[in-house]
Amino acid sequence: MRKILLLLLVVASFAALFGTEAPGYVAITSSNGVRILVNGVHVGTIVGGELILSLTPGTYILTAQKEGYEDERVFIAVQSGRSTSVNVELTQAKIIQENISTQQKVFLGQKTGTINIYSIPFPSAKVSINGVNYGETDIRLTNFPVGKLAVKIDSGGKSLQAVFTLKENETIDLQANFVDGKIYQLFTVSFDFPDDVEVTIDANIIKKNEPVVLIGPDHRVEMKATDLSRYEPSSVKQITVTANGSYELSPDFSKEYIDYVSTLHPGELVLVEKGSFTMGDTWGDGSDEEKPMHPVELTYDFQIGPYEVTFDQYNWFCEETGRKKPSDNSWGRGSRPVINVSWNDAVAYCNWLSEKEELSKAYDNNGNLLDKDGRVTSDPSKVVGYRLPTEAEWEYAARGGNKSKGYKYSGSDNVDNVAWYDSNSGSKTQEVGKKAPNELGLYDMSGNVWEWCSDWYGAYSSSAQTNPYNNSGSWRVYRGGSWDYDAARARVALRYRRPPTGTDVDLGFRIARTVP
């Protein structure tokens, strides 16, 4: 207690000098080894029977935890310049058999969830849901039928009412706060955000990807960034949480960074003029999937990205759309090719690009190609928006189009000149554009990462084809080899396949577009 008194003297002096609201202090006594959480955030562990916390004035939920013991929750009110003493005694965990109310019948096949209900500052408040009494707080109701919950909680001559929704297999926590006169839903959530950003929620600092308990759905978030080349110094947002789980936060980008990223989307594409070529194993050393060789004619010009889509580009898409960012496997992001993206992710990126430029999108929700009027088509020449290259377009461009010199790899017969593969990659992706380009000025068509194509996979035919596009199947095609495979997989004729939901650490994509 002497420590508390000394702190209070310092606090009083500080407040007198500066006129600011001083913090309050909480002295917690309990057995050694008890972990203390404030609003779900771990703030310390009891050592020597005591832990002293400095907190800004307000109300908090204090939770004490120790292995083998039941968690203990305490509601505390912290006042400026004052100390509060809390003694926590934990009860050894017991196996408790809970009986379901006879008024709450569970039928075979019925969808159910769990409800935990607490009350402050009055314990033993009476609980009724949808007009049925279920006992007193604190209470847990398991196997509760899902749906609308009209919750009524009575204590001390006061009655609180609110409506919530329970979903299948969901656990919801409700807190009846008789001080505020409201029933709140408590959300156990975590937040992912950039490493160089400090985040506070309702003026409380939170840690990246660590669980916290939020009272109610609506909260004020402030993000302070140190990387001012990318972010604004401070960003304030209102967020609404709707369920337990993980959420992603992103501060506002600086104007300079927005200007920089805008030059990347989509970037200058390379023109590939129409022409004819022989598709497949023209060297006689390929797999059965590359056979038979067959003549292909493309009767339209198209454009294709000179580089594989990078993390910088894909991150911007995620940040604008709220999509979860893919892992970089701890190799770095920036101008490395994006990885761990499915075919579905890649076409979503293409549609987003089209919408940004007010173009008709290239894909419907089922992955079908669309023409300028939004009709399903199997003719790539009629598609206006950004898309993935067709398999025929990809191989034609990788071979050098109508400037082809007949190289086995894209741009050379010496694989080390043009490709990152297992013998030179250092077992990871490399920044795009560091090897020599092919005849058209395209980089990394051989090696670095495999690249999704638009088509479904199908066996080759020896017959001549014009503007081929395979619009049915079970697997999507991907091409080009990667950092993780040998040189033979970097040949321009090699083809692989996987389901459109598949992802990998060596699989990315590049964009294409039919010339209008």
Side-chain angles (χ1 to χ4, degrees):
M1 184 55 71
R2 177 177 174 79
K3 286 187 284 186
I4 290 292
L5 290 174
L6 289 173
L7 285 169
L8 290 176
L9 287 172
V10 173
V11 167
S13 300
F14 183 89
L17 284 171
F18 298 103
T20 58
E21 187 175 31
Y25 292 87
V26 181
I28 306 165
T29 56
S30 190
S31 59
N32 289 340
V34 172
R35 299 174 73 250
I36 301 299
L37 289 78
V38 175
N39 287 350
V41 178
H42 178 231
V43 294
T45 302
I46 300 292
V47 177
E50 185 180 50
L51 176 67
I52 299 174
L53 302 178
S54 171
L55 298 172
T56 56
T59 56
Y60 299 90
I61 298 175
L62 186 150
T63 305
Q65 297 178 335
K66 189 173 183 179
E67 187 174 355
Y69 292 81
E70 298 284 352
D71 290 358
E72 182 71 21
R73 287 190 177 187
V74 179
F75 175 82
I76 57 173
V78 177
Q79 299 181 44
S80 176
R82 297 189 178 185
S83 67
T84 302
S85 298
V86 178
N87 179 55
V88 179
E89 295 183 5
L90 298 184
T91 304
Q92 246 181 333
K94 298 178 181 179
I95 298 175
I96 300 174
Q97 180 179 353
E98 296 180 309
N99 295 321
I100 300 172
S101 167
T102 56
Q103 295 172 297
Q104 177 188 330
K105 298 179 180 178
V106 178
F107 301 97
L108 186 64
Q110 187 176 41
K111 297 177 180 180
T112 63
T114 298
I115 311 170
N116 297 319
I117 305 176
Y118 313 93
S119 63
I120 57 173
F122 308 128
S124 304
K126 295 180 180 179
V127 175
S128 68
I129 301 176
N130 297 334
V132 178
N133 295 323
Y134 286 100
E136 298 180 340
T137 58
D138 295 342
I139 188 173
R140 170 175 294 171
L141 302 173
T142 58
N143 296 326
F144 203 95
V146 303
K148 182 179 177 181
L149 309 175
V151 180
K152 184 171 180 283
I153 303 177
D154 299 304
S155 184
K158 294 183 178 180
S159 180
L160 306 181
Q161 298 184 50
V163 176
F164 302 92
T165 299
L166 180 65
K167 298 178 181 178
E168 184 178 10
N169 297 324
E170 182 183 33
T171 296
I172 63 173
D173 296 288
L174 303 179
Q175 180 197 73
N177 187 323
F178 285 92
V179 176
D180 293 349
K182 294 181 179 179
I183 303 175
Y184 296 103
Q185 183 169 350
L186 308 182
F187 297 94
T188 302
V189 296
S190 61
F191 294 92
D192 188 23
F193 46 85
D195 291 332
D196 52 359
V197 174
E198 179 186 271
V199 176
T200 61
I201 295 184
D202 302 329
N204 297 306
I205 296 177
I206 65 168
K207 294 183 179 180
K208 179 177 179 177
N209 294 323
E210 287 196 6
V212 296
V213 176
L214 298 182
I215 301 175
D218 299 317
H219 301 274
R220 183 183 185 274
V221 176
E222 183 174 3
M223 291 167 274
K224 295 181 179 179
T226 56
D227 182 3
L228 302 186
S229 66
R230 180 180 292 257
Y231 303 113
E232 291 293 331
S234 177
S235 306
V236 177
K237 300 180 179 181
Q238 290 294 132
I239 64 168
T240 300
V241 295
T242 57
N244 298 334
S246 179
Y247 294 81
E248 188 165 321
L249 298 175
S250 179
D252 295 329
F253 290 98
S254 65
K255 181 180 183 301
E256 292 78 9
Y257 184 70
I258 292 173
D259 291 342
Y260 159 68
V261 174
S262 67
T263 66
L264 303 178
H265 293 291
E268 187 174 349
L269 302 185
V270 172
L271 175 66
V272 183
E273 295 177 333
K274 60 189 174 184
S276 301
F277 73 108
T278 300
M279 189 171 181
D281 179 23
T282 53
W283 295 274
D285 58 354
S287 63
D288 290 342
E289 286 81 5
E290 302 166 39
K291 301 171 183 177
M293 295 182 299
H294 53 284
V296 170
E297 181 183 8
L298 299 177
T299 63
Y300 57 93
D301 298 339
F302 65 95
Q303 296 171 309
I304 191 168
Y307 310 107
E308 294 154 335
V309 172
T310 65
F311 268 107
D312 260 348
Q313 293 171 311
Y314 195 85
N315 284 352
W316 185 253
F317 158 64
C318 293
E319 286 155 356
E320 278 210 351
T321 61
R323 204 177 192 91
K324 185 174 179 61
K325 293 177 185 175
S327 167
D328 62 8
N329 220 41
S330 300
W331 299 330
R333 303 176 85 82
S335 59
R336 292 179 187 269
V338 67
I339 54 176
N340 293 309
V341 286
S342 67
W343 186 92
N344 295 330
D345 294 329
V347 300
Y349 175 87
C350 292
N351 278 348
W352 171 75
L353 271 185
S354 299
E355 290 170 0
K356 285 183 73 68
E357 296 194 14
E358 298 183 352
L359 300 172
S360 300
K361 66 181 183 180
Y363 297 94
D364 67 12
N365 293 335
N366 296 318
N368 297 307
L369 282 180
L370 300 175
D371 66 15
K372 64 182 180 61
D373 297 316
R375 295 186 296 256
V376 173
T377 182
S378 59
D379 185 351
S381 70
K382 295 184 177 180
V383 179
V384 174
Y386 290 100
R387 55 180 174 79
L388 300 176
T390 69
E391 186 177 17
E393 289 171 351
W394 190 97
E395 186 169 327
Y396 180 58
R399 287 176 178 268
N402 60 12
K403 299 178 182 179
S404 177
K405 296 180 180 178
Y407 295 131
K408 179 176 288 191
Y409 309 103
S410 185
S412 179
D413 283 329
N414 183 337
V415 68
D416 284 288
N417 290 343
V418 294
W420 296 109
Y421 65 111
D422 65 353
S423 294
N424 67 5
S425 67
S427 300
K428 60 184 178 182
T429 61
Q430 300 294 325
E431 292 184 352
V432 300
K434 297 300 184 182
K435 291 290 186 178
N438 75 351
E439 301 92 318
L440 293 172
L442 305 178
Y443 295 84
D444 300 311
M445 294 290 278
S446 288
N448 213 358
V449 295
W450 295 98
E451 300 176 15
W452 285 112
C453 292
S454 193
D455 308 47
W456 291 102
Y457 177 88
Y460 282 166
S461 165
S462 59
S463 61
Q465 298 182 36
T466 301
N467 304 340
Y469 187 77
N470 194 2
N471 62 354
S472 63
S474 299
W475 299 277
R476 295 288 182 176
V477 179
Y478 59 99
R479 292 293 211 109
S482 82
W483 61 265
D484 196 33
Y485 281 76
D486 60 16
R489 304 305 196 278
R491 294 177 298 107
V492 294
L494 188 91
R495 56 201 305 250
Y496 269 9
R497 57 186 173 177
R498 71 168 54 200
T501 55
T503 62
D504 214 331
V505 295
D506 62 350
L507 179 56
F509 67 100
R510 73 177 69 215
I511 61 171
R513 187 183 171 203
T514 303
V515 174

